[in-house]
Amino acid sequence: MLSDRTRLHIALQKSGRLSDYSRELLRDAGFRIQSGKNSLTARVENFPAELMFVRDDDIPTFVSDGVCEFGIVGQNVLEEFSAERTDLGYEVLAELGFGRCTLKLAAPESMPYEGPASLAGQRIATSYPRLLARFLRENDVDATIVTMSGAVELAPRLQIASFICDLVSTGATLEANNLRALDTVLDSQAVLIRTTRPMDATRADIAAGMMSRIEGVLATKESKYIMMNAPGEALKQITDILPGAEAPTIVPLHGRPGNFAVHAVCQESVFWETLQKLKAAGASAILVVPIEKMMM
Ligand code: PRT
Ligand code: ZN
């Protein structure tokens, strides 16, 4: 029995846009999560890990301080946290493909804008003051940053600022407030991060096990298992056509001398075009199936 001290701690957003996807990713990786949505922590039943449900803004701190070994957070929050730090205390292990959004400058339709230089001397409201400051610095523009913790899209109407810098996904919020999107400050999605604080050997082992399961889930999002029959002389050409497949398995077909079954995991999407090429090369009975789990 492992003691509590050898459990991994994984920081997830408690409730918000990333919560469901984060849990789903862990579930797909085979972790059985105990307890309901309202607790602050939950044990993983079948793996030595404990989930900590926190506000997304706290996740970078938890991971970089080593309170949690892992965390799932948006790049926007992560980069705002690290924008003026030298010792980050975390590393990004994987982009997760959900929680996509863009940190954008925006302004009322009537506001003239011809690129970042138009921001000179203006007031810009944002919840991301460090990322905005970095953008202004990179563009060599002086402007006043007004930090707001929410409802940034109201700033122009309230005459708090003439520009805003806020997250956009569908653009509906900007449209509803008669604002038009201008330049992009940051493209963002959720990422998996790991602390760079040292872990003891037992925990490091558990962490490696967890990573290989998660990498497996991420890999299967795109991967397919492909099977076909082919004559020996077509094998070279067929293996060259298979997209992103390393070392396919080739086995002789019983009762059909000179013919083989070819099985391979393709790391890239398999399109009809690929199947047609395989057929033209001599393959028959081609089957493409989704992969549910994979461990590298
Ligand atoms: O309580 P807690 O602090 O944990 O949550 P939160 O309210 O700070 O964050 P939450 O749940 O809103 O978002 C969590 C993360 O989801 C963000 O940090 C981003 O990484 C990501 N994300 C993806 C978004 C959006 N899309 C998004 N559209 N976060 C916020 N928005 C907001 C945006 O601020 C604006 O108000 O949605 C509005 C714009 O959306 P559209 O679709 O109208 O363009
Ligand atoms: Zn937040």
Side-chain angles (χ1 to χ4, degrees), residues 6 45 79 83 133 149 153 161 164 200 211 219 222 226-227 253 257:
T6 45
E45 282 173 31
E79 296 216 6
S149 57
E153 66 276 7
I164 68 166
D200 60 50
M211 267 320 292
E222 278 288 308
I226 182 163
M227 297 172 270
L253 282 179

PDB file of all heavy atoms in Angstrom, residues 6 45 79 83 133 149 153 161 164 200 211 219 222 226-227 253 257:
ATOM      1  N   THR A   6       3.306   9.335  -1.236  1.00  0.00           N
ATOM      2  CA  THR A   6       3.792   8.929  -2.551  1.00  0.00           C
ATOM      3  C   THR A   6       2.733   9.145  -3.638  1.00  0.00           C
ATOM      4  O   THR A   6       2.923   8.762  -4.768  1.00  0.00           O
ATOM      5  CB  THR A   6       4.247   7.460  -2.556  1.00  0.00           C
ATOM      6  OG1 THR A   6       3.276   6.708  -1.884  1.00  0.00           O
ATOM      7  CG2 THR A   6       5.588   7.309  -1.885  1.00  0.00           C
ATOM      8  N   GLU A  45      -9.019   6.209  -7.929  1.00  0.00           N
ATOM      9  CA  GLU A  45      -9.175   4.904  -7.272  1.00  0.00           C
ATOM     10  C   GLU A  45      -8.102   3.903  -7.657  1.00  0.00           C
ATOM     11  O   GLU A  45      -7.666   3.114  -6.857  1.00  0.00           O
ATOM     12  CB  GLU A  45     -10.522   4.283  -7.674  1.00  0.00           C
ATOM     13  CG  GLU A  45     -11.699   4.852  -6.952  1.00  0.00           C
ATOM     14  CD  GLU A  45     -12.992   4.302  -7.548  1.00  0.00           C
ATOM     15  OE1 GLU A  45     -12.990   3.151  -8.027  1.00  0.00           O
ATOM     16  OE2 GLU A  45     -13.979   5.050  -7.544  1.00  0.00           O
ATOM     17  N   GLU A  79       1.115  31.881 -19.186  1.00  0.00           N
ATOM     18  CA  GLU A  79       2.089  32.869 -19.668  1.00  0.00           C
ATOM     19  C   GLU A  79       1.954  34.190 -18.937  1.00  0.00           C
ATOM     20  O   GLU A  79       2.926  34.907 -18.756  1.00  0.00           O
ATOM     21  CB  GLU A  79       1.957  33.044 -21.180  1.00  0.00           C
ATOM     22  CG  GLU A  79       2.301  31.739 -21.872  1.00  0.00           C
ATOM     23  CD  GLU A  79       3.024  31.923 -23.188  1.00  0.00           C
ATOM     24  OE1 GLU A  79       3.375  33.065 -23.540  1.00  0.00           O
ATOM     25  OE2 GLU A  79       3.218  30.902 -23.854  1.00  0.00           O
ATOM     26  N   ALA A  83       5.232  35.659 -17.307  1.00  0.00           N
ATOM     27  CA  ALA A  83       5.761  36.717 -18.171  1.00  0.00           C
ATOM     28  C   ALA A  83       6.947  37.478 -17.577  1.00  0.00           C
ATOM     29  O   ALA A  83       7.853  37.858 -18.298  1.00  0.00           O
ATOM     30  CB  ALA A  83       4.649  37.686 -18.565  1.00  0.00           C
ATOM     31  N   ALA A 133       1.571  44.091 -21.585  1.00  0.00           N
ATOM     32  CA  ALA A 133       2.788  44.901 -21.458  1.00  0.00           C
ATOM     33  C   ALA A 133       3.878  44.346 -22.375  1.00  0.00           C
ATOM     34  O   ALA A 133       4.588  45.093 -23.050  1.00  0.00           O
ATOM     35  CB  ALA A 133       3.260  44.924 -20.007  1.00  0.00           C
ATOM     36  N   SER A 149     -10.537  42.645 -13.398  1.00  0.00           N
ATOM     37  CA  SER A 149     -10.563  41.199 -13.178  1.00  0.00           C
ATOM     38  C   SER A 149     -11.659  40.517 -13.989  1.00  0.00           C
ATOM     39  O   SER A 149     -11.671  39.302 -14.136  1.00  0.00           O
ATOM     40  CB  SER A 149     -10.695  40.881 -11.691  1.00  0.00           C
ATOM     41  OG  SER A 149     -11.853  41.490 -11.207  1.00  0.00           O
ATOM     42  N   GLU A 153     -15.038  43.656 -21.450  1.00  0.00           N
ATOM     43  CA  GLU A 153     -15.709  44.140 -22.676  1.00  0.00           C
ATOM     44  C   GLU A 153     -16.584  45.368 -22.410  1.00  0.00           C
ATOM     45  O   GLU A 153     -16.982  46.064 -23.335  1.00  0.00           O
ATOM     46  CB  GLU A 153     -16.529  43.012 -23.323  1.00  0.00           C
ATOM     47  CG  GLU A 153     -17.721  42.508 -22.513  1.00  0.00           C
ATOM     48  CD  GLU A 153     -17.362  41.453 -21.472  1.00  0.00           C
ATOM     49  OE1 GLU A 153     -16.153  41.178 -21.273  1.00  0.00           O
ATOM     50  OE2 GLU A 153     -18.294  40.930 -20.826  1.00  0.00           O
ATOM     51  N   ALA A 161     -11.656  52.799 -20.637  1.00  0.00           N
ATOM     52  CA  ALA A 161     -10.554  52.649 -21.584  1.00  0.00           C
ATOM     53  C   ALA A 161     -11.118  52.709 -23.000  1.00  0.00           C
ATOM     54  O   ALA A 161     -12.300  52.438 -23.205  1.00  0.00           O
ATOM     55  CB  ALA A 161      -9.871  51.301 -21.367  1.00  0.00           C
ATOM     56  N   ILE A 164      -9.656  47.344 -25.505  1.00  0.00           N
ATOM     57  CA  ILE A 164      -9.570  46.246 -24.543  1.00  0.00           C
ATOM     58  C   ILE A 164      -8.636  45.178 -25.105  1.00  0.00           C
ATOM     59  O   ILE A 164      -8.333  45.150 -26.304  1.00  0.00           O
ATOM     60  CB  ILE A 164     -10.953  45.597 -24.223  1.00  0.00           C
ATOM     61  CG1 ILE A 164     -11.509  44.848 -25.438  1.00  0.00           C
ATOM     62  CG2 ILE A 164     -11.944  46.635 -23.717  1.00  0.00           C
ATOM     63  CD1 ILE A 164     -12.671  43.910 -25.105  1.00  0.00           C
ATOM     64  N   ASP A 200      11.096  12.518  -5.556  1.00  0.00           N
ATOM     65  CA  ASP A 200      11.855  11.330  -5.163  1.00  0.00           C
ATOM     66  C   ASP A 200      11.620  10.227  -6.189  1.00  0.00           C
ATOM     67  O   ASP A 200      10.727  10.327  -7.039  1.00  0.00           O
ATOM     68  CB  ASP A 200      11.479  10.873  -3.740  1.00  0.00           C
ATOM     69  CG  ASP A 200      10.010  10.532  -3.642  1.00  0.00           C
ATOM     70  OD1 ASP A 200       9.524   9.767  -4.491  1.00  0.00           O
ATOM     71  OD2 ASP A 200       9.340  11.047  -2.723  1.00  0.00           O
ATOM     72  N   MET A 211       2.398   9.897 -17.274  1.00  0.00           N
ATOM     73  CA  MET A 211       2.680  10.559 -18.549  1.00  0.00           C
ATOM     74  C   MET A 211       2.505   9.615 -19.719  1.00  0.00           C
ATOM     75  O   MET A 211       1.966   9.985 -20.749  1.00  0.00           O
ATOM     76  CB  MET A 211       4.127  11.097 -18.566  1.00  0.00           C
ATOM     77  CG  MET A 211       4.259  12.515 -18.130  1.00  0.00           C
ATOM     78  SD  MET A 211       2.952  13.553 -18.755  1.00  0.00           S
ATOM     79  CE  MET A 211       3.285  13.572 -20.516  1.00  0.00           C
ATOM     80  N   ALA A 219      -1.993  10.550 -28.352  1.00  0.00           N
ATOM     81  CA  ALA A 219      -1.570   9.944 -29.621  1.00  0.00           C
ATOM     82  C   ALA A 219      -2.744   9.295 -30.341  1.00  0.00           C
ATOM     83  O   ALA A 219      -2.862   9.392 -31.552  1.00  0.00           O
ATOM     84  CB  ALA A 219      -0.465   8.923 -29.374  1.00  0.00           C
ATOM     85  N   GLU A 222      -5.343  11.029 -32.999  1.00  0.00           N
ATOM     86  CA  GLU A 222      -5.100  11.085 -34.432  1.00  0.00           C
ATOM     87  C   GLU A 222      -4.809   9.714 -35.014  1.00  0.00           C
ATOM     88  O   GLU A 222      -4.936   9.507 -36.207  1.00  0.00           O
ATOM     89  CB  GLU A 222      -3.888  11.987 -34.715  1.00  0.00           C
ATOM     90  CG  GLU A 222      -4.208  13.463 -34.729  1.00  0.00           C
ATOM     91  CD  GLU A 222      -5.008  13.857 -35.960  1.00  0.00           C
ATOM     92  OE1 GLU A 222      -4.568  13.526 -37.072  1.00  0.00           O
ATOM     93  OE2 GLU A 222      -6.075  14.459 -35.819  1.00  0.00           O
ATOM     94  N   ILE A 226      -4.265   0.165 -39.003  1.00  0.00           N
ATOM     95  CA  ILE A 226      -4.601  -0.178 -40.377  1.00  0.00           C
ATOM     96  C   ILE A 226      -4.128  -1.601 -40.689  1.00  0.00           C
ATOM     97  O   ILE A 226      -3.048  -1.999 -40.269  1.00  0.00           O
ATOM     98  CB  ILE A 226      -4.035   0.900 -41.338  1.00  0.00           C
ATOM     99  CG1 ILE A 226      -4.394   0.626 -42.792  1.00  0.00           C
ATOM    100  CG2 ILE A 226      -2.557   1.078 -41.211  1.00  0.00           C
ATOM    101  CD1 ILE A 226      -4.216   1.828 -43.699  1.00  0.00           C
ATOM    102  N   MET A 227      -4.992  -2.357 -41.358  1.00  0.00           N
ATOM    103  CA  MET A 227      -4.677  -3.752 -41.690  1.00  0.00           C
ATOM    104  C   MET A 227      -4.975  -3.993 -43.158  1.00  0.00           C
ATOM    105  O   MET A 227      -5.926  -3.412 -43.696  1.00  0.00           O
ATOM    106  CB  MET A 227      -5.569  -4.700 -40.872  1.00  0.00           C
ATOM    107  CG  MET A 227      -5.352  -4.592 -39.395  1.00  0.00           C
ATOM    108  SD  MET A 227      -6.569  -5.533 -38.472  1.00  0.00           S
ATOM    109  CE  MET A 227      -7.850  -4.349 -38.248  1.00  0.00           C
ATOM    110  N   LEU A 253       0.373 -15.118 -44.819  1.00  0.00           N
ATOM    111  CA  LEU A 253      -1.033 -15.558 -44.805  1.00  0.00           C
ATOM    112  C   LEU A 253      -1.081 -17.067 -44.990  1.00  0.00           C
ATOM    113  O   LEU A 253      -0.470 -17.602 -45.928  1.00  0.00           O
ATOM    114  CB  LEU A 253      -1.806 -14.879 -45.937  1.00  0.00           C
ATOM    115  CG  LEU A 253      -2.213 -13.433 -45.710  1.00  0.00           C
ATOM    116  CD1 LEU A 253      -2.953 -12.916 -46.940  1.00  0.00           C
ATOM    117  CD2 LEU A 253      -3.087 -13.292 -44.475  1.00  0.00           C
ATOM    118  N   PRO A 257       0.764 -18.736 -50.227  1.00  0.00           N
ATOM    119  CA  PRO A 257       2.202 -18.474 -50.248  1.00  0.00           C
ATOM    120  C   PRO A 257       2.516 -17.166 -50.976  1.00  0.00           C
ATOM    121  O   PRO A 257       1.863 -16.856 -51.986  1.00  0.00           O
ATOM    122  CB  PRO A 257       2.791 -19.679 -50.990  1.00  0.00           C
ATOM    123  CG  PRO A 257       1.687 -20.635 -51.206  1.00  0.00           C
ATOM    124  CD  PRO A 257       0.388 -19.999 -50.849  1.00  0.00           C
TER     125      PRO A 257
END
